[in-house]
Amino acid sequence: KRRKGVLMRAYKERVGSINWIVLDKKAGNLAQDLANCLGKNPQEVLVDFSHVSSLNSADAYALSRHLWSAHRRGSTIVLGAVKKRGIRRFIDNAGFSDYFPVEERLPEAIAHFREAKRNFLGEMLLRSGQIDDDQLEHALEIQESENTPRRLGTILTDCGYINQGKLLRVLFRQKMDRLAA
């Protein structure tokens, strides 16, 4: 017998090609909601934790199982609006390494992207303070000097100017910028 408030709910929204799944603390059947939300092979899934501060073991198991199943079918999984240590612990235990914090909620990110005139990776990293001008120039010089040029993000991570998690978050923002344009 399920007690009220023990299991969570999940609701699905669409933003461009992204299935935005909002988790909610209201009592429900998270496993069934996730099965309905994820449906057949979504390409991109954003899980929004902004209304959730912790997960019980049943919800954590259901969420992990459904997200890994979608990942194995080829879906890109992005975890967003993570605000509490309990949620970060779930993400680490489930094997998901990248997420963006609660301050960067999706509607605010989309509004930001619509205002941005250009979304070149280097400029986005400069604007966000992730790298400085010298680091960008050095990476661009390396890119130009190579016979088979690598992607700028790969060069920046190889040089140690940015870690892969931060790069993935900026690439996600860049993708959202293109969708919102």
Side-chain angles (χ1 to χ4, degrees):
K1 184 175 178 182
R2 201 173 1 160
R3 294 182 319 186
K4 183 175 175 145
V6 172
L7 295 177
M8 296 184 334
R9 302 282 328 226
Y11 304 95
K12 178 174 143 183
E13 301 286 336
R14 297 240 348 136
V15 178
S17 64
I18 295 175
N19 287 308
W20 179 18
I21 298 178
V22 180
L23 300 178
D24 195 334
K25 293 184 283 188
K26 295 178 185 172
N29 185 338
L30 183 63
Q32 184 61 48
D33 289 345
L34 287 169
N36 293 337
C37 290
L38 293 171
K40 300 178 181 180
N41 228 14
Q43 292 301 307
E44 298 168 311
V45 177
L46 170 67
V47 182
D48 183 344
F49 288 92
S50 61
H51 302 292
V52 179
S53 58
S54 64
L55 293 171
N56 66 35
S57 59
D59 289 336
Y61 175 75
L63 186 58
S64 178
R65 184 170 49 95
H66 282 279
L67 292 179
W68 276 110
S69 175
H71 179 69
R72 281 192 298 276
R73 291 189 318 251
S75 298
T76 300
I77 308 293
V78 177
L79 306 175
V82 174
K83 61 182 174 181
K84 297 289 183 178
R85 231 179 291 158
I87 300 297
R88 287 191 202 118
R89 192 169 35 252
F90 157 75
I91 291 168
D92 293 338
N93 290 339
F96 296 103
S97 60
D98 286 302
Y99 56 88
F100 60 89
V102 70
E103 294 82 17
E104 299 177 29
R105 292 193 179 129
L106 190 60
E108 295 161 357
I110 291 172
H112 167 75
F113 297 143
R114 285 190 175 139
E115 292 171 8
K117 293 183 180 172
R118 296 189 295 181
N119 64 347
F120 294 116
L121 178 63
E123 290 180 9
M124 292 177 75
L125 290 167
L126 280 173
R127 280 195 308 263
S128 66
Q130 303 291 330
I131 61 172
D132 60 35
D133 288 323
D134 294 334
Q135 292 169 329
L136 178 58
E137 286 299 320
H138 181 245
L140 290 171
E141 287 172 8
I142 291 171
Q143 189 179 41
E144 288 177 24
S145 68
E146 295 178 339
N147 291 335
T148 307
R150 292 180 289 158
R151 292 178 176 252
L152 181 62
T154 303
I155 295 169
L156 290 167
T157 55
D158 289 350
C159 289
Y161 296 147
I162 188 169
N163 68 37
Q164 190 173 17
K166 289 179 182 178
L167 174 64
L168 289 174
R169 284 191 288 277
V170 172
L171 288 171
F172 174 73
R173 287 188 200 113
Q174 185 181 45
K175 174 117 178 144
M176 290 304 300
D177 190 6
R178 288 183 185 141
L179 290 172

